[in-house]
Amino acid sequence: MARQALAALGTSIFSEMTRLATERGAVNLSQGFPDFDGPREIVGAAVAALRGGQNQYGRSMGLPALVEQIALHQQRCWGLSFDAMSEVCAFAGATEGIAAAMLGLLEAGDEVVLFEPFYDGYPATVAMAGATARVVTLRAPHFRVDEAALRAALTERTRMMVVNSPHNPSGRVFTVEELDVIARVCVERDLMALSDEVYEHLVFAGARHVPLASRPGMRERTVTLSSTGKTFSFTGWKVGWATGPAPLIACVQRAHQFLTFCAATPLHAAMATALEHMGASYFDGLLAQYTARRDFLVSTLREVGFSPYVPEGTYFVLCDLRGLSDEDDVSFARRLIDEAGVAAIPPSVFYADARDEGRRLLRFAFCKREQTLDEAARRLRAWQRRRPAERRP
Ligand code: PMP
Ligand code: GLN
């Protein structure tokens, strides 16, 4: 069952678009990874851990220093308290955390509610667990949680809801009202929640990140994920973690111990140092940089004829491309690489039910250096000028 379902999902769009961008020499605004390094102090901490002999297997649920810092971070940033040794589990990236949660918490035949557009790891790992995804569409232009649609997706087999706010790819940050709709449904139906909050620190002025676990009745049923890739710009380190109530974390850990047992010890040691020393002022600086890049990319995209949805969080901008073309997102994304030399993600692959919604959208990442975004803007403007007059906005 998993084999067929996974075969149907094919190669991840992220690998596909980055490969095409590299082959064609396009500016890569597709896959969400920074093209700059994370803080030097953290690299220094990793080097010190490597040189200092922290090179063997670590504690399976995470080095004591790391899980303690994660628990302190949850307390300091969100007022949520977790026992470091039994309510925190560290992984090889949030991606492993997603898989460990699905495999550890679900039974074959269970149903899981996913909001589309979704991160592609969710349906894949639901399939690996032998469970079935039920999809609720977040519809453009507001990408809001619709209570009636959510309730319509529930059956007596529903066991879990997957929530991702700040949301990739729409850039939405769910309001407290939306989170409370989700929380009420979870409590009423006794569902578990997997809350993917990897973009917790990338929330722009005007919006506010509220952890799902902080809503009434949710602390005891929510497994929350985060990742160092986004917050500290080291996507290649693959350091992720979960916090949650001990009985759920124990289930996730059972899967984790047979997936990887433990993740890269020196990188986890370095991340403990990062969480200890880089707090509010680092997060503010990161956000200031991303705010400027978001504004620059949004205005460039508007200028060349896209209709961007201004993101409230994450480092992605989703755009409507109908002002520029009637083509579907996949053909348009390929043509943009060839004609403009700029790569973006066609989001229809993030939809299962309402794929047509995705066919008129394109996702651009702005976790890139200013020079990279300038070059992308230069290429998009030049491409726009070369287009036949009737196709210009
Ligand atoms: N969840 C979401 C919503 C993501 O966008 C990503 C991608 N980077 C991940 C999880 C995976 O995080 P990691 O790189 O830590 O595996
Ligand atoms: N989360 C990243 C994105 O949305 C990609 C992660 C991956 O490549 N698996 O672009």
Side-chain angles (χ1 to χ4, degrees):
M1 184 176 181
R3 178 174 151 170
Q4 273 179 22
L6 289 174
L9 293 173
T11 303
S12 155
I13 194 69
F14 303 118
S15 309
E16 186 101 22
M17 296 315 287
T18 286
R19 181 182 60 77
L20 278 178
T22 309
E23 274 173 22
R24 311 277 162 90
V27 177
N28 189 2
L29 305 188
S30 66
Q31 193 175 20
F33 62 87
D35 68 347
F36 50 87
D37 229 352
R40 291 175 56 151
E41 307 87 296
I42 310 184
V43 174
V47 171
L50 284 161
R51 293 230 161 98
Q54 294 205 59
N55 295 309
Q56 309 305 332
Y57 298 134
R59 176 175 172 265
S60 176
M61 288 176 78
L63 301 181
L66 178 62
V67 291
E68 266 159 39
Q69 288 304 324
I70 293 167
L72 285 170
H73 169 276
Q74 293 302 79
Q75 181 71 61
R76 197 169 54 234
C77 295
W78 314 121
L80 292 167
S81 72
F82 292 100
D83 174 59
M85 301 309 270
S86 62
E87 297 190 310
V88 182
C89 187
F91 308 105
T95 302
E96 195 220 340
I98 294 166
M102 300 298 185
L103 294 168
L105 293 169
L106 298 172
E107 298 287 355
D110 284 349
E111 292 186 1
V112 180
V113 174
L114 305 181
F115 291 96
E116 65 178 2
F118 40 60
Y119 179 54
D120 63 354
Y122 310 147
T125 51
V126 167
M128 288 182 207
T132 303
R134 295 277 167 227
V135 173
V136 178
T137 308
L138 302 172
R139 291 188 186 276
H142 300 300
F143 300 97
R144 284 186 64 85
V145 174
D146 179 79
E147 181 165 1
L150 173 55
R151 289 191 182 274
L154 304 172
T155 72
E156 70 284 358
R157 290 177 164 247
T158 311
R159 290 285 295 136
M160 182 195 276
M161 204 175 318
V162 180
V163 181
N164 169 218
S165 176
H167 180 252
N168 174 12
S170 74
R172 272 298 320 286
V173 176
F174 291 172
T175 59
V176 172
E177 291 71 29
E178 288 170 291
L179 293 172
D180 282 350
V181 165
I182 291 168
R184 267 201 310 279
V185 169
C186 286
V187 171
E188 271 170 39
R189 307 288 289 234
D190 195 20
L191 307 180
M192 297 178 283
L194 181 62
S195 188
D196 180 341
E197 302 181 12
V198 296
Y199 301 101
E200 62 186 329
H201 290 296
L202 296 180
V203 175
F204 303 108
R208 186 165 68 97
H209 176 65
V210 176
L212 184 63
S214 70
R215 305 315 302 154
M218 294 308 285
R219 165 71 172 76
E220 65 264 35
R221 62 182 69 249
T222 304
V223 171
T224 303
L225 294 170
S226 193
S227 162
T228 211
K230 324 294 158 189
T231 304
F232 293 104
S233 309
F234 290 116
T235 57
W237 284 21
K238 300 298 288 187
V239 181
W241 56 82
T243 49
L248 297 189
I249 291 294
C251 295
V252 176
Q253 160 60 13
R254 268 178 223 127
H256 161 68
Q257 68 181 336
F258 297 119
L259 288 171
T260 54
F261 182 74
C262 67
T265 301
L267 301 184
H268 279 217
M271 202 41 56
T273 311
L275 286 169
E276 184 176 357
H277 296 292
M278 308 193 72
S281 67
Y282 166 75
F283 300 142
D284 289 348
L286 183 74
L287 199 61
Q289 279 179 7
Y290 277 137
T291 303
R293 292 172 202 191
R294 173 193 70 162
D295 294 347
F296 175 76
L297 185 60
V298 165
S299 72
T300 304
L301 292 170
R302 220 173 250 149
E303 182 190 321
V304 301
F306 290 101
S307 304
Y309 301 106
V310 180
E312 298 164 320
T314 77
Y315 44 48
F316 304 112
V317 186
L318 204 56
C319 301
D320 195 315
L321 57 84
R322 282 174 303 183
L324 284 168
S325 173
D326 303 326
E327 283 160 287
D328 69 52
D329 60 331
V330 175
S331 324
F332 186 85
R334 286 178 183 278
R335 202 155 62 75
L336 200 69
I337 290 179
D338 289 337
E339 291 183 4
V342 175
I345 292 283
S348 54
V349 295
F350 302 146
Y351 289 81
D353 285 0
R355 202 153 263 214
D356 279 347
E357 287 261 317
R359 290 202 173 100
R360 56 187 178 70
L361 300 172
L362 213 53
R363 191 199 78 175
F364 293 86
F366 55 88
C367 45
K368 308 291 169 180
R369 287 171 298 165
E370 276 170 21
Q371 306 93 287
T372 308
L373 295 174
D374 280 341
E375 177 60 18
R378 195 189 62 71
R379 291 182 182 204
L380 286 170
R381 290 188 192 115
W383 166 75
Q384 184 53 36
R385 280 195 300 274
R386 290 195 303 271
R387 283 162 61 84
E390 75 277 8
R391 303 298 294 172
R392 290 193 207 135

mmCIF file of all heavy atoms in Angstrom, residues 42-73:
data_model
loop_
_atom_site.group_PDB
_atom_site.id
_atom_site.type_symbol
_atom_site.label_atom_id
_atom_site.label_comp_id
_atom_site.label_asym_id
_atom_site.label_seq_id
_atom_site.Cartn_x
_atom_site.Cartn_y
_atom_site.Cartn_z
ATOM 1 N N ILE A 42 27.386 29.809 15.558
ATOM 2 C CA ILE A 42 26.822 28.451 15.649
ATOM 3 C C ILE A 42 27.719 27.477 14.876
ATOM 4 O O ILE A 42 27.927 26.338 15.298
ATOM 5 C CB ILE A 42 25.373 28.410 15.120
ATOM 6 C CG1 ILE A 42 24.544 29.516 15.771
ATOM 7 C CG2 ILE A 42 24.760 27.049 15.384
ATOM 8 C CD1 ILE A 42 23.085 29.497 15.399
ATOM 9 N N VAL A 43 28.266 27.954 13.755
ATOM 10 C CA VAL A 43 29.222 27.110 13.026
ATOM 11 C C VAL A 43 30.409 26.828 13.957
ATOM 12 O O VAL A 43 30.879 25.684 14.056
ATOM 13 C CB VAL A 43 29.696 27.804 11.724
ATOM 14 C CG1 VAL A 43 30.801 27.000 11.059
ATOM 15 C CG2 VAL A 43 28.523 27.992 10.769
ATOM 16 N N GLY A 44 30.844 27.859 14.692
ATOM 17 C CA GLY A 44 31.952 27.693 15.642
ATOM 18 C C GLY A 44 31.610 26.644 16.701
ATOM 19 O O GLY A 44 32.451 25.818 17.061
ATOM 20 N N ALA A 45 30.372 26.654 17.159
ATOM 21 C CA ALA A 45 29.966 25.679 18.184
ATOM 22 C C ALA A 45 29.979 24.261 17.600
ATOM 23 O O ALA A 45 30.347 23.297 18.286
ATOM 24 C CB ALA A 45 28.584 26.034 18.722
ATOM 25 N N ALA A 46 29.614 24.140 16.316
ATOM 26 C CA ALA A 46 29.632 22.808 15.680
ATOM 27 C C ALA A 46 31.066 22.327 15.517
ATOM 28 O O ALA A 46 31.375 21.158 15.783
ATOM 29 C CB ALA A 46 28.932 22.864 14.317
ATOM 30 N N VAL A 47 31.960 23.234 15.104
ATOM 31 C CA VAL A 47 33.378 22.863 14.952
ATOM 32 C C VAL A 47 33.935 22.437 16.309
ATOM 33 O O VAL A 47 34.635 21.416 16.412
ATOM 34 C CB VAL A 47 34.183 24.049 14.355
ATOM 35 C CG1 VAL A 47 35.674 23.774 14.388
ATOM 36 C CG2 VAL A 47 33.710 24.340 12.930
ATOM 37 N N ALA A 48 33.585 23.198 17.360
ATOM 38 C CA ALA A 48 34.084 22.857 18.698
ATOM 39 C C ALA A 48 33.577 21.477 19.119
ATOM 40 O O ALA A 48 34.328 20.676 19.702
ATOM 41 C CB ALA A 48 33.650 23.917 19.704
ATOM 42 N N ALA A 49 32.310 21.174 18.776
ATOM 43 C CA ALA A 49 31.764 19.856 19.141
ATOM 44 C C ALA A 49 32.482 18.746 18.368
ATOM 45 O O ALA A 49 32.824 17.696 18.926
ATOM 46 C CB ALA A 49 30.259 19.819 18.867
ATOM 47 N N LEU A 50 32.752 18.991 17.082
ATOM 48 C CA LEU A 50 33.466 17.998 16.266
ATOM 49 C C LEU A 50 34.880 17.775 16.805
ATOM 50 O O LEU A 50 35.336 16.642 16.963
ATOM 51 C CB LEU A 50 33.554 18.482 14.806
ATOM 52 C CG LEU A 50 32.282 18.371 13.978
ATOM 53 C CD1 LEU A 50 32.345 19.286 12.760
ATOM 54 C CD2 LEU A 50 32.063 16.932 13.524
ATOM 55 N N ARG A 51 35.564 18.894 17.105
ATOM 56 C CA ARG A 51 36.948 18.800 17.602
ATOM 57 C C ARG A 51 36.978 18.272 19.033
ATOM 58 O O ARG A 51 37.970 17.678 19.454
ATOM 59 C CB ARG A 51 37.601 20.182 17.571
ATOM 60 C CG ARG A 51 37.811 20.694 16.167
ATOM 61 C CD ARG A 51 39.246 21.174 15.981
ATOM 62 N NE ARG A 51 39.592 21.237 14.566
ATOM 63 C CZ ARG A 51 39.562 22.335 13.841
ATOM 64 N NH1 ARG A 51 39.212 23.464 14.405
ATOM 65 N NH2 ARG A 51 39.902 22.306 12.565
ATOM 66 N N GLY A 52 35.901 18.510 19.756
ATOM 67 C CA GLY A 52 35.885 18.132 21.173
ATOM 68 C C GLY A 52 35.440 16.691 21.404
ATOM 69 O O GLY A 52 35.160 16.306 22.533
ATOM 70 N N GLY A 53 35.333 15.929 20.336
ATOM 71 C CA GLY A 53 35.061 14.497 20.489
ATOM 72 C C GLY A 53 33.592 14.139 20.673
ATOM 73 O O GLY A 53 33.280 13.025 21.085
ATOM 74 N N GLN A 54 32.693 15.073 20.331
ATOM 75 C CA GLN A 54 31.262 14.709 20.451
ATOM 76 C C GLN A 54 30.819 14.047 19.152
ATOM 77 O O GLN A 54 29.978 14.583 18.419
ATOM 78 C CB GLN A 54 30.433 15.961 20.723
ATOM 79 C CG GLN A 54 30.744 16.585 22.076
ATOM 80 C CD GLN A 54 29.569 17.393 22.587
ATOM 81 O OE1 GLN A 54 28.471 16.865 22.766
ATOM 82 N NE2 GLN A 54 29.781 18.665 22.812
ATOM 83 N N ASN A 55 31.387 12.899 18.871
ATOM 84 C CA ASN A 55 31.212 12.313 17.543
ATOM 85 C C ASN A 55 30.596 10.916 17.552
ATOM 86 O O ASN A 55 30.624 10.227 16.537
ATOM 87 C CB ASN A 55 32.568 12.294 16.821
ATOM 88 C CG ASN A 55 33.065 13.708 16.556
ATOM 89 O OD1 ASN A 55 32.330 14.524 16.009
ATOM 90 N ND2 ASN A 55 34.271 14.012 16.991
ATOM 91 N N GLN A 56 30.049 10.520 18.674
ATOM 92 C CA GLN A 56 29.423 9.190 18.738
ATOM 93 C C GLN A 56 27.908 9.337 18.896
ATOM 94 O O GLN A 56 27.401 10.441 19.044
ATOM 95 C CB GLN A 56 30.009 8.393 19.902
ATOM 96 C CG GLN A 56 31.532 8.359 19.934
ATOM 97 C CD GLN A 56 32.168 7.850 18.640
ATOM 98 O OE1 GLN A 56 31.553 7.052 17.909
ATOM 99 N NE2 GLN A 56 33.368 8.310 18.327
ATOM 100 N N TYR A 57 27.228 8.186 18.862
ATOM 101 C CA TYR A 57 25.777 8.227 19.088
ATOM 102 C C TYR A 57 25.479 9.038 20.337
ATOM 103 O O TYR A 57 26.201 8.949 21.334
ATOM 104 C CB TYR A 57 25.222 6.816 19.355
ATOM 105 C CG TYR A 57 25.385 5.824 18.244
ATOM 106 C CD1 TYR A 57 25.856 4.535 18.529
ATOM 107 C CD2 TYR A 57 25.043 6.118 16.927
ATOM 108 C CE1 TYR A 57 25.987 3.583 17.528
ATOM 109 C CE2 TYR A 57 25.174 5.167 15.930
ATOM 110 C CZ TYR A 57 25.653 3.905 16.229
ATOM 111 O OH TYR A 57 25.774 2.974 15.245
ATOM 112 N N GLY A 58 24.391 9.764 20.274
ATOM 113 C CA GLY A 58 23.964 10.493 21.469
ATOM 114 C C GLY A 58 22.725 9.836 22.060
ATOM 115 O O GLY A 58 22.271 8.791 21.570
ATOM 116 N N ARG A 59 22.175 10.464 23.076
ATOM 117 C CA ARG A 59 20.905 9.987 23.653
ATOM 118 C C ARG A 59 19.852 9.992 22.538
ATOM 119 O O ARG A 59 19.730 10.965 21.789
ATOM 120 C CB ARG A 59 20.521 10.941 24.791
ATOM 121 C CG ARG A 59 19.190 10.641 25.432
ATOM 122 C CD ARG A 59 18.974 11.581 26.639
ATOM 123 N NE ARG A 59 17.621 11.420 27.140
ATOM 124 C CZ ARG A 59 16.590 12.185 26.786
ATOM 125 N NH1 ARG A 59 16.764 13.178 25.923
ATOM 126 N NH2 ARG A 59 15.393 11.952 27.272
ATOM 127 N N SER A 60 19.078 8.913 22.437
ATOM 128 C CA SER A 60 18.178 8.774 21.286
ATOM 129 C C SER A 60 17.183 9.931 21.177
ATOM 130 O O SER A 60 16.932 10.450 20.079
ATOM 131 C CB SER A 60 17.434 7.432 21.363
ATOM 132 O OG SER A 60 16.510 7.331 20.309
ATOM 133 N N MET A 61 16.628 10.381 22.280
ATOM 134 C CA MET A 61 15.629 11.458 22.202
ATOM 135 C C MET A 61 16.264 12.835 22.077
ATOM 136 O O MET A 61 15.553 13.835 21.946
ATOM 137 C CB MET A 61 14.708 11.428 23.436
ATOM 138 C CG MET A 61 13.753 10.253 23.417
ATOM 139 S SD MET A 61 12.771 10.175 24.917
ATOM 140 C CE MET A 61 11.536 11.435 24.611
ATOM 141 N N GLY A 62 17.584 12.896 22.096
ATOM 142 C CA GLY A 62 18.265 14.191 21.966
ATOM 143 C C GLY A 62 19.235 14.380 23.109
ATOM 144 O O GLY A 62 18.954 13.949 24.233
ATOM 145 N N LEU A 63 20.355 15.043 22.832
ATOM 146 C CA LEU A 63 21.347 15.303 23.881
ATOM 147 C C LEU A 63 20.674 16.052 25.025
ATOM 148 O O LEU A 63 19.851 16.954 24.772
ATOM 149 C CB LEU A 63 22.478 16.175 23.336
ATOM 150 C CG LEU A 63 23.260 15.636 22.142
ATOM 151 C CD1 LEU A 63 24.350 16.624 21.746
ATOM 152 C CD2 LEU A 63 23.862 14.276 22.478
ATOM 153 N N PRO A 64 21.012 15.718 26.277
ATOM 154 C CA PRO A 64 20.389 16.428 27.401
ATOM 155 C C PRO A 64 20.485 17.949 27.258
ATOM 156 O O PRO A 64 19.514 18.665 27.516
ATOM 157 C CB PRO A 64 21.167 15.909 28.616
ATOM 158 C CG PRO A 64 21.601 14.533 28.203
ATOM 159 C CD PRO A 64 21.885 14.612 26.729
ATOM 160 N N ALA A 65 21.648 18.456 26.811
ATOM 161 C CA ALA A 65 21.802 19.927 26.689
ATOM 162 C C ALA A 65 20.802 20.478 25.672
ATOM 163 O O ALA A 65 20.241 21.566 25.865
ATOM 164 C CB ALA A 65 23.226 20.264 26.258
ATOM 165 N N LEU A 66 20.559 19.741 24.595
ATOM 166 C CA LEU A 66 19.641 20.237 23.560
ATOM 167 C C LEU A 66 18.195 20.196 24.040
ATOM 168 O O LEU A 66 17.465 21.189 23.917
ATOM 169 C CB LEU A 66 19.791 19.420 22.267
ATOM 170 C CG LEU A 66 18.825 19.837 21.157
ATOM 171 C CD1 LEU A 66 19.060 21.280 20.719
ATOM 172 C CD2 LEU A 66 18.932 18.907 19.951
ATOM 173 N N VAL A 67 17.769 19.070 24.585
ATOM 174 C CA VAL A 67 16.353 18.988 24.987
ATOM 175 C C VAL A 67 16.047 19.995 26.104
ATOM 176 O O VAL A 67 14.960 20.570 26.154
ATOM 177 C CB VAL A 67 15.905 17.546 25.354
ATOM 178 C CG1 VAL A 67 15.886 16.666 24.121
ATOM 179 C CG2 VAL A 67 16.740 16.924 26.454
ATOM 180 N N GLU A 68 17.051 20.252 26.966
ATOM 181 C CA GLU A 68 16.837 21.277 27.998
ATOM 182 C C GLU A 68 16.633 22.650 27.368
ATOM 183 O O GLU A 68 15.749 23.404 27.763
ATOM 184 C CB GLU A 68 18.038 21.345 28.950
ATOM 185 C CG GLU A 68 17.849 20.490 30.182
ATOM 186 C CD GLU A 68 19.164 20.148 30.856
ATOM 187 O OE1 GLU A 68 20.050 21.026 30.907
ATOM 188 O OE2 GLU A 68 19.272 18.983 31.307
ATOM 189 N N GLN A 69 17.449 22.971 26.369
ATOM 190 C CA GLN A 69 17.316 24.277 25.715
ATOM 191 C C GLN A 69 15.991 24.381 24.947
ATOM 192 O O GLN A 69 15.394 25.451 24.880
ATOM 193 C CB GLN A 69 18.500 24.537 24.768
ATOM 194 C CG GLN A 69 19.795 24.833 25.504
ATOM 195 C CD GLN A 69 19.662 26.015 26.463
ATOM 196 O OE1 GLN A 69 18.970 26.995 26.202
ATOM 197 N NE2 GLN A 69 20.324 25.915 27.613
ATOM 198 N N ILE A 70 15.543 23.282 24.356
ATOM 199 C CA ILE A 70 14.259 23.303 23.635
ATOM 200 C C ILE A 70 13.120 23.567 24.638
ATOM 201 O O ILE A 70 12.240 24.396 24.391
ATOM 202 C CB ILE A 70 14.044 21.983 22.859
ATOM 203 C CG1 ILE A 70 15.063 21.880 21.722
ATOM 204 C CG2 ILE A 70 12.612 21.897 22.321
ATOM 205 C CD1 ILE A 70 15.173 20.500 21.086
ATOM 206 N N ALA A 71 13.176 22.874 25.770
ATOM 207 C CA ALA A 71 12.132 23.085 26.788
ATOM 208 C C ALA A 71 12.151 24.542 27.267
ATOM 209 O O ALA A 71 11.091 25.181 27.394
ATOM 210 C CB ALA A 71 12.331 22.120 27.955
ATOM 211 N N LEU A 72 13.358 25.095 27.479
ATOM 212 C CA LEU A 72 13.459 26.495 27.925
ATOM 213 C C LEU A 72 12.929 27.440 26.846
ATOM 214 O O LEU A 72 12.262 28.433 27.142
ATOM 215 C CB LEU A 72 14.919 26.849 28.241
ATOM 216 C CG LEU A 72 15.451 26.264 29.560
ATOM 217 C CD1 LEU A 72 16.978 26.462 29.654
ATOM 218 C CD2 LEU A 72 14.758 26.915 30.755
ATOM 219 N N HIS A 73 13.216 27.135 25.586
ATOM 220 C CA HIS A 73 12.745 27.966 24.473
ATOM 221 C C HIS A 73 11.213 27.992 24.449
ATOM 222 O O HIS A 73 10.595 29.056 24.308
ATOM 223 C CB HIS A 73 13.303 27.405 23.153
ATOM 224 C CG HIS A 73 12.694 27.999 21.923
ATOM 225 N ND1 HIS A 73 11.506 27.543 21.384
ATOM 226 C CD2 HIS A 73 13.085 29.020 21.134
ATOM 227 C CE1 HIS A 73 11.211 28.267 20.311
ATOM 228 N NE2 HIS A 73 12.151 29.165 20.131
#
